[in-house]
Structures are given as structure tokens and as C-alpha cells.
Amino acid sequence: MSKILGVLGGMGPLATVDFLQKLIEETPARRDQDHVPVIAYSVPQIPERPPAITGNGESPLPQMLAGVQALKRAGASAIAIACNTAYYWHDALAAQGGLPILHIADAACAALAPQASQRIGLIATDGTIAAGFYQSRLQSRGVQCLLSSAEDHSTLIVPAIACVKRNELAQAHALAVAAARHLLDQGAQAIILGCTEIPLAIEHQPSDVARHCVDATRALARECVQWYRGG
Amino acid sequence: MSKILGVLGGMGPLATVDFLQKLIEETPARRDQDHVPVIAYSVPQIPERPPAITGNGESPLPQMLAGVQALKRAGASAIAIACNTAYYWHDALAAQGGLPILHIADAACAALAPQASQRIGLIATDGTIAAGFYQSRLQSRGVQCLLSSAEDHSTLIVPAIACVKRNELAQAHALAVAAARHLLDQGAQAIILGCTEIPLAIEHQPSDVARHCVDATRALARECVQWYRGG
């Protein structure tokens, strides 16, 4: 058996489906057999990631590790995680899970246009922001990372994510677009959508902010296609 | 660990994503943790099903069995197959795979409205039609099963399925809607979309045939939600 991509998902379930859909869209294929072979572990019975990072919640690491091990047993040869916040545990999962893990933030940063070189907005959970893996990558490229205000975070981004998890996409769209627009108003040249729920909200309808957004989910999907096809 | 649904997919990849999406839509959920835990095995490097049934092709059974065994190793406790034609091998897979397999045709027949009691159209691959598991279920309910003409099959249904596999949904839609309309013109009270690619084609845009169609994929998703929640 050749390469099989393992997808650690369920955080949440709709974001996992979105990742699998984008994996298909990013694959040049004329027939079924051209597509990336994938096993997706979407078991959402797992503690929420942001509170675990910010210090108030149970760690999801044991369940995530169980997911990686299940994927390995099933035949996966590398892992992609369909959840930005979960990358906080990337190093522990890679070390203990025994499989290479493609990094969503590397993929998203690689997808930035060369001219977006000064100031990049980031929409993410407080867990992802606290983890800092986007900021450190942007900093090492000499790019300033612009975050939403605390008020925008609590009144727009957190509710937008919750709406996606309830499949209320129209409301999620309005909230996420407003948060993106505020970052553009503050001079962001592009915005990384660094939470797998946010692209679902932004893409629900056309909007003027969409062309400035880099979808980390799609960037990861593209990276996975390259991994599969790249010998 | 409680129940985990294993999805044998990849036949094709887009139909697998469609099934997972419908599984989410059919689940009453307020948060991630309410959703059905699922492991999806979507490895499309497998022989085509219809030619194997109609006598000209390599059997996909060994690869399907490997998929069921991978899902079992990963922790799945029951299987749904996101491909109608693959149900030709249902009994062999259930016997050799060691896990119960929910049947898509049982789910689709259960989703028929009570008044659709005389004549039901079926859109499916020639493999599914040759397998006969839809016709036998309808017959046992005293319902006549109406099939497309050989010409409609080769000029509308086969190309519609191929278009979906190439992600050319607008063209697939026109072809599938024409096939459905012909069955309605011949007196079908409802049409079972008994190939996982066909609902993707029909649903791509609104159409007058949609309200007469029973989506076997969605019916199977609903059955899986009941399996998970039903004690």
C-alpha cells in the first residue's frame, strides 16, 4: 500500500468535512483513483481546545493521541489536523504518535502573496493566539501580525465559531465578515483565517473581504496534495 | 469508548464527503460533542464496481474488505458504505469483516412516502441494477420498480456519474434531471437516487424533479444517526 493521509478531525465535524472537500477540490483528478487516499478520524467527543490552552480546561491531548494512533493502526502514513488550535499539541503528537504531521501554519504562510509583506491580520481562537505558532512564523518572515481587538474577539469571532458549530452559517457569515473588515480597516494587507470554522463562515456568501483572506484549511489541503503527489 | 461509525468510502471521494455532510445535517446537535463519532476510510485506489458485477472487471472485494478491517482496527463498531453499488458485496463484507453493515437500500426504502406505493423509479449504476437489491426490496413491498431505458442509462446516467467524479456538477445536473424527468413521465410516484453520485448532480441546482426524489445517501445518514443515538 502506498501513502495514505490520516486526517485528525472532529474539532469540529463540519470543519473536517470542509477540509476533505477542499482536498478534493485541490486535487487534479479525472477519475476516482487520482484522488488522495485518506482516512479521517472525526470523533468530536473530546475536550474543547481553547480552554485547555488558556489554562481552564481538561487537555484534549490523550484523545488526540488516541486519534493519531487509530489512524496509524488503520494505515495512515502522515497526519493533517483539521483544526488550527489543535496544532498547539503538534510537537507532542508528532513525538508520541509516531507519524509526521503536516503543519497548517506553514501551509497558510506559504499561501500568502509575496506583496503581503508588511502587516497580516489573523483570525483565530484565543487558544491559537496564545499558542503563538502563527505569530512566530510571520515574525520570522519580518511580517507584523495584526490581531482583532478583545471586543471584536468576544463579540464577533467567538460567536461566529459557535454559529458554525451549530450549522447557523448566515449568522456566522455576518459576524466573521465584520471581524475581517475591521482588520482590513486597520491596514492588514491580507488576513489568515486561522480557525477551521471561519472559512466556512466567510465563504457562506460572497463578500468584499473574501479576496483578502487566506484560508488555512485550503492551504493545508493543497500541502497534503503536494505531499501525496510529491514522491 | 462508545459506538463509532465506520464509513467505507472513496467510491468516489466526493460522494463520501457528501455522506459525511449529510450525517452532520441529519444530527440534532448544539455543539461538536453531540455529533456522531465517525472514522471514514476513503481510499479510491480500488477497482470500479459496476464492471466487476456485470462480469468484465477485477473484484473490489479484497480492497473493500481491507477497508472494513482498517476501520475495525481503528475502533469502528458498525459500517456504512458510501456507495450503493458496493452493497453488492454486503453479505461477504459483513461475514468476513466482522462488523455489522447498515444497508443503504433498507434506509432508502424506509424513506419512501407511504403514498408512493405503486410505482417507484430507480436511478442507479448497471452494477446496482444487476445486483437487484433495490428491486427485491421494492417487490417485497408490492411496489413496481421502474428502470430507465437502456438509452437513458448510457446517454444520461452513466455520463452524469462520470461528470460528478470529475467535479463537473452543472453538466451532471442537466443529465441527471433529464433521466429523472423521463421516469416521472412514465408514471413513477417517486425516484430512488440509488447511486451516491446522483444526489450530488440533482442537488447542484434547484429543479422540478427534486421533490420527487429520495436520496439514498441522506436516508443512510439518517439511519446511522438513529443507530448512534438508539441505545
Side-chain angles (χ1 to χ4, degrees):
Chain A
M1 181 63 86
S2 65
K3 293 177 187 174
I4 297 182
L5 179 68
V7 176
L8 185 61
M11 306 175 279
L14 201 57
T16 306
V17 170
D18 184 53
F19 173 78
L20 295 172
Q21 172 82 36
K22 286 169 180 166
L23 189 68
I24 292 170
E25 290 171 3
E26 294 295 328
T27 305
R30 294 294 299 169
R31 52 188 202 122
D32 287 355
Q33 287 79 0
D34 297 334
H35 283 278
V36 179
V38 51
I39 306 172
Y41 182 91
S42 183
V43 176
Q45 287 72 30
I46 179 170
E48 296 290 343
R49 281 65 59 201
I53 296 174
T54 55
N56 310 309
E58 186 189 348
S59 171
L61 181 59
Q63 277 98 326
M64 283 198 289
L65 194 57
V68 171
Q69 288 164 342
L71 288 166
K72 192 176 178 185
R73 277 198 306 278
S77 37
I79 298 288
I81 312 178
C83 171
N84 285 269
T85 315
Y87 276 90
Y88 175 77
W89 292 274
H90 171 275
D91 293 355
L93 279 174
Q96 297 171 51
L99 286 178
I101 302 178
L102 286 82
H103 206 300
I104 196 166
D106 288 335
C109 289
L112 285 168
Q115 59 270 31
S117 60
Q118 297 186 304
R119 190 180 272 199
I120 302 294
L122 172 66
I123 296 182
T125 65
D126 54 357
T128 295
I129 292 167
F133 51 78
Y134 274 108
Q135 298 96 310
S136 63
R137 280 168 174 77
L138 291 171
Q139 196 174 19
S140 73
R141 296 161 70 105
V143 178
Q144 187 194 343
C145 181
L146 194 64
L147 300 173
S148 298
S149 68
E151 190 188 338
D152 273 12
H153 192 83
S154 61
T155 63
L156 298 175
I157 297 171
V158 170
I161 295 168
C163 283
V164 171
K165 289 181 184 293
R166 289 196 300 267
N167 211 13
E168 294 168 3
L169 293 177
Q171 204 183 334
H173 175 76
L175 295 162
V177 166
R181 196 169 288 133
H182 292 175
L183 289 170
L184 293 171
D185 289 346
Q186 289 169 65
Q189 299 167 294
I191 300 171
I192 293 177
L193 306 182
C195 167
T196 46
E197 268 71 25
I198 296 295
L200 284 157
I202 297 276
E203 292 163 13
H204 178 62
Q205 291 171 34
S207 74
D208 56 326
V209 305
R211 67 195 172 92
H212 301 290
C213 292
V214 170
D215 174 355
T217 307
R218 187 177 293 281
L220 179 61
R222 206 174 298 147
E223 194 87 354
C224 290
V225 174
Q226 283 176 4
W227 166 81
Y228 177 64
R229 294 166 66 93
Chain B
M1 181 63 86
S2 64
K3 291 178 187 174
I4 297 182
L5 179 68
V7 176
L8 185 61
M11 306 174 280
L14 201 57
T16 306
V17 170
D18 183 53
F19 173 78
L20 295 172
Q21 171 82 34
K22 286 170 178 165
L23 189 67
I24 292 171
E25 290 171 3
E26 294 295 326
T27 305
R30 295 292 300 167
R31 50 186 205 124
D32 287 355
Q33 288 79 1
D34 297 334
H35 283 278
V36 178
V38 50
I39 305 173
Y41 182 90
S42 184
V43 175
Q45 286 72 30
I46 178 170
E48 296 289 343
R49 282 66 59 200
I53 296 174
T54 54
N56 310 310
E58 187 189 347
S59 172
L61 181 59
Q63 276 97 326
M64 285 198 286
L65 193 58
V68 171
Q69 287 163 343
L71 288 166
K72 192 176 179 185
R73 278 197 307 277
S77 37
I79 298 289
I81 310 177
C83 171
N84 284 270
T85 315
Y87 275 90
Y88 175 77
W89 292 274
H90 171 276
D91 293 355
L93 280 174
Q96 297 171 49
L99 286 177
I101 302 177
L102 287 82
H103 206 300
I104 197 167
D106 287 336
C109 289
L112 286 168
Q115 60 269 32
S117 59
Q118 296 186 303
R119 187 180 275 199
I120 303 293
L122 172 65
I123 295 182
T125 65
D126 54 358
T128 296
I129 291 167
F133 50 78
Y134 274 108
Q135 298 96 309
S136 63
R137 280 167 174 79
L138 290 170
Q139 195 174 23
S140 73
R141 297 160 68 106
V143 176
Q144 186 195 341
C145 181
L146 195 63
L147 300 174
S148 297
S149 68
E151 190 188 337
D152 274 12
H153 191 84
S154 61
T155 62
L156 299 175
I157 297 171
V158 170
I161 294 168
C163 284
V164 172
K165 289 182 185 292
R166 289 196 301 266
N167 211 13
E168 295 168 3
L169 294 177
Q171 203 183 335
H173 175 78
L175 295 163
V177 165
R181 194 168 290 133
H182 292 175
L183 289 170
L184 293 171
D185 289 347
Q186 289 169 63
Q189 298 166 294
I191 300 170
I192 293 178
L193 307 181
C195 167
T196 46
E197 268 70 25
I198 296 294
L200 284 156
I202 297 276
E203 293 163 12
H204 177 64
Q205 291 170 36
S207 74
D208 56 323
V209 305
R211 66 194 172 90
H212 301 290
C213 292
V214 170
D215 174 355
T217 306
R218 187 177 293 281
L220 179 61
R222 205 174 297 145
E223 193 87 355
C224 290
V225 174
Q226 284 177 4
W227 166 80
Y228 177 63
R229 294 166 65 93

